[in-house]
């Protein structure tokens, strides 16, 4: 097999080039090739300096994640970085694209680094539940200082070349289109510098206050995660006066601990699940896409406005339609306020706000949607209203336009059937707030055309959403799985649990909030029949009393004016009344039972969804729950989590409480297999 690494001679400079598409991951063949090339450069007396650069779209984007968990072939990445650093001739990293993880660590082993202005450098290992394990935690603070190293390793976001240059991570920013030549010229300039600057030989100023402050400031963000703290501990080790060798040994020990742990396995699963979700099994990847130059949004409420923002932010003009001028004005001003708030936080430039607002065309005239390539309906969740809208769209939209509904439950096939072009109809289920939440459920109707589906999936990437294909089923993937959870949570109240206990168990599990906190946030009155005399459930009773949740400062909890919740004596009374009238036997409910009845039931529903072909794969379900509902990523989504719990345990837990268990779940448990 030919090596992905080749060497080129430019007089006295040896240029080492990697060509390992798509992202130049540092797999075994790359590492072996790099080691051989460095040895070639050091052995050849006519070589005065070396340059490492990459072909293709990026510098090394990290270790090859697909090799994790398998026996590591020599040289390992830490050894390779040591070999580069130990070279007695200068080695220059020439960076474009993203130098990430092991790729960043390779640059830190190099004596010098040059980069194009658009390059980024970072250590995203924490997002895989890991830490930079090839000396990165020890070299990075020695070059860039403790504070930046903490930010980069424990949060994992890459930094732009300019900032990296200010921090000493980049020695020179070179021409965007002349990296190869500029790197050679630079190498020639520094070829005779001695002693060579080696990161491992530097010392770093201890900064315990910065470490303590960083931990405190980010406590909420890091809650439940193991890797951020391990990254911080390694940075601390690099700055506490320990030798470089001791620091490396500590880093290795922590890296291996994380690598063997469940959290990293879960986070790596989600890395690949994210990318897999974008693929549609029976639609070829090269399906020609429909051009989307203008998007129409029907409804300027919270949802419609949020949806519009996604496209405006991506530079796609939006026509937004409302029935009443007042609602239109209100919606437009909310969009503007949201953009201005982002600008105030420094996330947007004022001219970006102007550009986005200029690209928004508010109108009361439905006919203005005629020139849109994609129209997304985001109005009231009633089939009759939706049918009326789609009939009108059918009459006015141009041929080939994609007609999408943001419905969160309703049957897309039924909506499509009222048009003459059901093949152009698709579901695009955004999650609230739509400009923030990453998930997009793309609902494939019976007749949805392949190119419509492919176009919407590609568009999702443009607007930076993670899209998952769902089939037509009540509530699609996410909300359908929410239902058994909600049903069981309400039953548990009758049997003796409190809203506080159930929410506490969910938060301790890692969810951002429990089922009752979520009801209060979303609105207890959502979906309520609005007849205060008809009280059939605890929720009806709350809604009838105006306890509609946070917006009324009363729901399952009482709220103060800052929306801080406290347990509600009135809700306790209501629950008590229902317990009495239902004749339920009240008993102590264990936290384990709450998990079994509210989370195992979700896994069971997920298995049914797969059996019915309403989701393409189990990992898609995990993606839905991570990005749509805040399932803790370190647990890998419900289906991955079920595997880590042990499927026999999940099945036994479900059977103990008398739930009918999905056949596929039972089979996988019995055979020791996986839910697919
Ligand atoms: N290893 C293996 N495969 C990788 C990979 C990696 N490090 N990074 C990306 N890929 C694969 C993806 O799975 C995808 O495969 P597919 O086409 O079969 O689905 C393909 O490369 C393209 O990736 P993206 O779709 O993500 O391409 P983008 O252009 O959107 O993004 C990127 C490029 C920013 C480099 C992004 O892929 C990324 O963030 N990669 C991961 C970077 C990372 O986490 N590096 C650290 C690795 S751990 C490490 O280095 C440990 C060390 O410290 C010891």
């Amino acid at each position: 097999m030919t090596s992905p690494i080749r060497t080129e001679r430019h007089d006295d400079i040896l240029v080492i080039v990697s060509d390992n598409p798509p992202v130049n991951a540092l797999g075994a063949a790359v590492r072996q090739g790099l080691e051989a090339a460095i040895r070639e450069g050091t052995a050849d007396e006519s070589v005065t300096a070396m340059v490492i650069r990459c072909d293709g779209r990026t510098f090394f984007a990290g270790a090859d994640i697909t090799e994790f968990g398998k026996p590591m072939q020599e040289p390992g990445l830490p050894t390779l970085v040591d070999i580069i650093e130990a070279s007695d001739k200068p080695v220059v990293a020439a960076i474009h694209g993203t130098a990430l993880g092991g790729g960043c660590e390779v640059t830190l082993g190099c004596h010098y680094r040059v980069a194009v202005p658009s390059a980024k450098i970072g250590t995203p290992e924490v997002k895989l539940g890991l830490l930079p394990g090839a000396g990165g935690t020890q070299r990075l603070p020695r070059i860039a200082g403790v504070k930046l190293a903490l930010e980069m390793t424990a949060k994992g976001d890459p930094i732009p070349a300019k900032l990296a240059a200010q921090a000493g991570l980049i020695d020179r920013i070179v021409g965007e289109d002349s990296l190869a030549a500029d790197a050679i010229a630079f190498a020639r300039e520094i070829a005779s510098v001695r002693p060579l600057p080696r990161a491992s030989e530097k010392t770093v100023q201890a900064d315990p206050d910065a470490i303590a402050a960083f931990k405190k400031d980010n406590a909420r963000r890091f809650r439940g995660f193991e890797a951020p703290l391990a990254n911080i501990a390694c940075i601390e080790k690099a700055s506490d006066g320990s030798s470089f060798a001791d620091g490396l040994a500590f880093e290795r020990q922590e890296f291996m601990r994380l690598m063997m742990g469940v959290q990293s396995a879960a986070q790596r699963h989600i890395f690949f699940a994210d990318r897999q979700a974008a693929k549609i099994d029976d639609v070829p990847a090269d399906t020609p896409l429909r051009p989307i130059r203008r998007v129409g949004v029907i409804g300027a409420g919270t949802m419609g406005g949020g949806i519009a923002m996604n496209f405006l932010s991506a530079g796609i003009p939006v026509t937004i339609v409302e029935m009443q001028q007042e609602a239109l004005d209100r919606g437009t001003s909310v969009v503007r306020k949201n953009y201005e708030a982002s600008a105030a936080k420094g996330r947007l430039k004022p001219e970006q706000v102007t550009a986005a607002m200029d690209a928004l065309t508010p109108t009361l005239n439905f006919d203005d949607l005629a020139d849109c390539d994609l129209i997304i309906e985001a109005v009231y969740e009633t089939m009759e209203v939706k049918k009326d809208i789609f009939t009108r769209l059918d009459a006015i939209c141009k041929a080939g336009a994609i007609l999408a509904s943001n419905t969160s439950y309703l049957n897309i096939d039924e909506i499509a059937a009222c048009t003459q072009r059901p093949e152009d109809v698709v579901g695009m289920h955004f999650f609230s707030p739509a400009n923030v939440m990453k998930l997009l459920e793309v609902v494939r109707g019976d007749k949805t055309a392949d190119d419509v589906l492919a176009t919407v999936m590609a568009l999702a990437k443009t607007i930076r959403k993670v899209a998952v294909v769902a089939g037509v089923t009540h509530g699609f993937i996410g909300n359908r799985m929410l239902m058994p959870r909600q049903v069981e949570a309400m039953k548990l109240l009758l049997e003796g649990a409190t809203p506080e206990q159930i929410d506490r168990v969910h938060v301790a599990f890692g969810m951002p909030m429990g089922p009752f906190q979520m009801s209060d946030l979303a609105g207890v009155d959502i979906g309520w029949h609005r007849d205060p005399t008809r009280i059939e459930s605890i929720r009806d009773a709350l809604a009838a009393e105006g306890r509609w949740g946070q917006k009324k400062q009363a729901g399952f909890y009482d709220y103060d004016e800052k929306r801080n919740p406290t347990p509600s004596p009135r809700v306790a009374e209501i629950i008590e009344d229902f317990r009495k009238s239902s004749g339920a036997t009240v008993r102590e409910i264990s936290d384990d039972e709450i998990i079994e009845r509210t989370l195992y039931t979700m896994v069971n529903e997920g298995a049914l969804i797969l059996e019915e072909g309403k989701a393409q794969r189990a990992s898609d379900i995990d993606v839905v729950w991570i990005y749509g509902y805040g399932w803790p990523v370190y647990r890998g989504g419900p289906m991955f989590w079920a595997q880590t719990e042990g499927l026999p345990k999940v099945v036994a837990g479900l059977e103990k409480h008398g739930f009918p268990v999905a056949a596929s779940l039972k089979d996988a448990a019995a055979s020791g297999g996986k839910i697919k």
Side-chain angles (χ1 to χ4, degrees):
M1 219 174 75
T2 53
S3 170
I5 301 293
R6 66 175 192 276
T7 52
E8 293 169 356
R9 278 301 290 267
H10 292 262
D11 301 324
D12 55 332
I13 307 295
L14 184 76
V15 180
I16 302 167
V17 186
S18 171
D19 182 13
N20 187 32
V23 297
N24 280 304
L26 284 148
V30 173
R31 298 194 305 274
Q32 285 154 8
L34 283 173
E35 180 185 12
I38 294 286
R39 298 212 186 286
E40 178 189 330
T42 40
D44 187 337
E45 281 181 8
S46 64
V47 170
T48 60
M50 291 170 260
V51 169
I52 301 180
R53 70 167 181 83
C54 292
D55 276 347
R57 65 196 215 220
T58 180
F59 194 79
F60 306 111
D64 186 338
I65 307 169
T66 59
E67 285 182 354
F68 289 177
K70 300 177 191 156
M72 187 55 73
Q73 286 188 53
E74 290 301 326
L77 206 45
T79 310
L80 175 68
V81 175
D82 288 347
I83 291 170
I84 296 172
E85 195 189 48
S87 159
D88 56 3
K89 295 174 188 172
V91 185
V92 178
I95 307 164
H96 77 292
T98 42
L100 298 179
C104 172
E105 292 172 292
V106 164
T107 75
L108 300 176
C110 292
H111 309 102
Y112 296 95
R113 291 159 291 274
V114 301
V116 298
S118 62
K120 287 188 175 174
I121 184 158
T123 47
E125 285 89 340
V126 71
K127 295 185 180 174
L128 300 170
L130 294 171
L131 50 80
T137 66
Q138 303 305 299
R139 289 189 178 89
L140 188 60
R142 281 175 163 79
I143 298 176
V146 165
K147 277 193 186 139
L148 187 61
L150 286 172
E151 284 287 335
M152 288 178 69
T153 58
K155 290 189 182 163
D157 297 326
I159 59 169
K162 196 171 158 195
L163 184 59
Q166 284 160 7
L169 283 169
I170 301 292
D171 297 289
R172 184 176 295 170
I173 307 258
V174 299
E176 191 69 54
D177 301 317
S178 52
L179 176 66
D182 290 354
I184 293 169
F186 180 89
R188 212 160 267 140
E189 273 176 48
I190 51 82
S192 57
V193 172
R194 295 294 181 279
L196 286 171
R198 293 192 171 95
S200 65
E201 291 168 5
K202 294 187 197 295
T203 51
V204 55
Q205 187 80 32
D207 197 346
D209 291 347
I211 293 174
F214 182 77
K215 273 191 196 163
K216 191 162 161 267
D217 293 348
N218 293 291
R220 216 184 136 91
R221 176 182 183 135
F222 297 156
R223 181 176 79 93
F225 286 90
E226 288 166 6
L229 297 184
N231 274 278
I232 297 169
C234 287
I235 303 298
E236 198 163 12
K237 185 80 179 165
S239 57
D240 71 359
S242 299
S243 68
F244 183 75
D246 283 355
L248 274 191
F250 183 70
E251 177 193 276
R252 183 96 311 246
Q253 169 202 311
E254 288 295 279
F255 181 82
M256 291 316 292
R257 182 175 68 81
L258 294 175
M259 179 67 97
M260 307 307 279
V262 175
Q263 290 204 350
S264 176
Q267 289 179 255
R268 283 181 273 135
H269 160 74
I270 289 301
F271 176 85
F272 288 113
D274 268 3
R275 285 151 180 83
Q276 185 72 11
K279 292 166 192 156
I280 318 160
D281 282 344
D282 57 345
V283 176
D286 58 357
T287 302
L289 305 180
R290 299 191 189 183
I292 305 293
R293 297 192 191 91
R294 174 171 283 276
V295 172
V297 176
I298 306 171
T302 315
M303 209 59 201
I307 292 172
M309 287 180 73
N310 289 302
F311 296 98
L312 296 171
S313 302
I316 302 174
V318 174
T319 301
I320 192 161
V321 189
E322 255 298 346
M323 307 266 281
Q324 307 286 340
Q325 188 66 45
E326 200 197 340
L328 188 63
D329 292 345
R330 201 179 327 117
T332 316
S333 86
V334 170
V335 170
R336 180 182 292 283
K337 273 194 199 126
N338 283 342
Y339 275 127
E340 283 169 352
S342 297
K345 287 183 198 143
R347 292 196 198 127
L348 283 181
K349 296 189 184 124
E351 56 270 29
Q352 287 174 301
V353 177
T354 311
M357 290 312 293
D358 284 352
L360 180 65
T361 310
T363 177
L364 296 176
N365 186 358
F366 218 79
D367 293 345
D368 289 347
L369 295 170
D371 65 342
C372 292
D373 304 294
L374 161 70
I375 299 95
I376 305 170
E377 161 280 309
V379 302
Y380 202 65
E381 193 73 343
T382 313
M383 185 53 97
E384 292 322 305
V385 178
K386 309 252 176 201
K387 279 188 177 169
D388 177 49
I389 286 180
F390 275 75
T391 311
R392 288 171 72 188
L393 286 177
D394 195 21
I396 60 159
C397 289
K398 64 182 176 188
I402 298 177
L403 313 183
S405 171
N406 176 53
T407 178
S408 21
Y409 286 95
L410 299 177
N411 187 320
I412 291 292
D413 292 332
E414 215 178 310
I415 296 174
C418 67
T419 72
Q420 302 301 310
R421 36 173 138 178
E423 66 284 0
D424 293 342
V425 177
V426 68
M428 287 177 80
H429 179 211
F430 289 85
F431 286 68
S432 187
N435 52 320
V436 178
M437 296 297 284
K438 296 275 290 175
L439 180 66
L440 178 67
E441 274 182 331
V442 176
V443 188
R444 180 181 199 175
D446 260 357
K447 300 207 167 121
T448 306
D450 285 359
D451 66 339
V452 167
L453 198 61
T455 302
V456 172
M457 294 301 280
L459 192 62
K461 197 162 180 181
T462 310
I463 60 170
R464 305 168 126 209
K465 297 284 174 205
V466 180
V468 170
V469 178
V472 176
T473 173
H474 190 65
F476 313 123
I477 298 173
N479 283 344
R480 176 168 161 184
M481 287 170 71
L482 199 58
M483 282 185 268
R485 185 182 96 164
Q486 297 301 94
V487 167
E488 285 309 304
M490 296 309 293
K491 281 191 189 158
L492 281 161
L493 290 186
L494 290 180
E495 292 170 41
T498 60
E500 300 81 73
Q501 184 194 6
I502 296 171
D503 285 345
R504 174 182 53 71
V505 169
H506 278 245
V507 172
F509 181 82
M511 299 297 292
M513 61 187 96
F516 298 103
Q517 292 161 326
M518 189 169 140
S519 287
D520 276 1
L521 181 68
V524 176
D525 58 318
I526 286 190
W528 178 46
H529 44 63
R530 289 184 192 262
D531 175 0
T533 61
R534 209 176 104 204
I535 295 177
E536 287 155 2
S537 66
I538 294 173
R539 205 175 64 106
D540 285 348
L542 262 62
E545 284 188 18
R547 299 191 67 96
W548 291 2
Q550 288 196 13
K551 58 190 169 192
K552 297 268 189 177
Q553 287 191 6
F556 282 95
Y557 295 85
D558 289 334
Y559 293 88
D560 63 17
E561 49 300 330
K562 287 190 180 147
R563 298 200 167 189
N564 292 315
T566 42
S568 163
R570 177 66 195 129
V571 172
E573 271 173 24
I574 294 174
I575 295 172
E576 200 45 52
D577 288 349
F578 268 88
R579 283 175 183 164
K580 282 191 190 126
S581 61
S582 71
T585 326
V586 176
R587 59 193 168 85
E588 184 101 353
I589 305 282
S590 71
D591 291 357
D592 282 349
E593 180 169 347
I594 292 174
I595 296 277
E596 287 159 3
R597 289 178 53 186
T598 58
L599 299 186
Y600 286 7
T601 44
M602 285 178 51
V603 173
N604 197 36
E605 197 65 35
L608 290 172
I609 289 173
L610 285 166
E611 282 176 21
E612 293 166 25
K614 304 298 181 191
Q616 294 193 91
R617 41 189 100 86
S619 64
D620 281 11
I621 295 178
D622 291 334
V623 168
V624 165
W625 272 83
I626 300 272
Y627 293 104
Y629 301 84
W631 184 281
V633 61
Y634 57 79
R635 292 195 195 267
M639 306 317 272
F640 183 88
W641 170 71
Q643 301 286 161
T644 63
E645 276 280 282
L647 296 186
K649 184 178 167 203
V650 173
V651 170
L654 286 164
E655 284 174 341
K656 185 166 77 188
H657 300 293
F659 294 108
V661 181
S664 57
L665 187 53
K666 269 193 197 162
D667 289 350
S671 67
K674 288 193 169 175
I675 323 170
K676 292 204 183 86

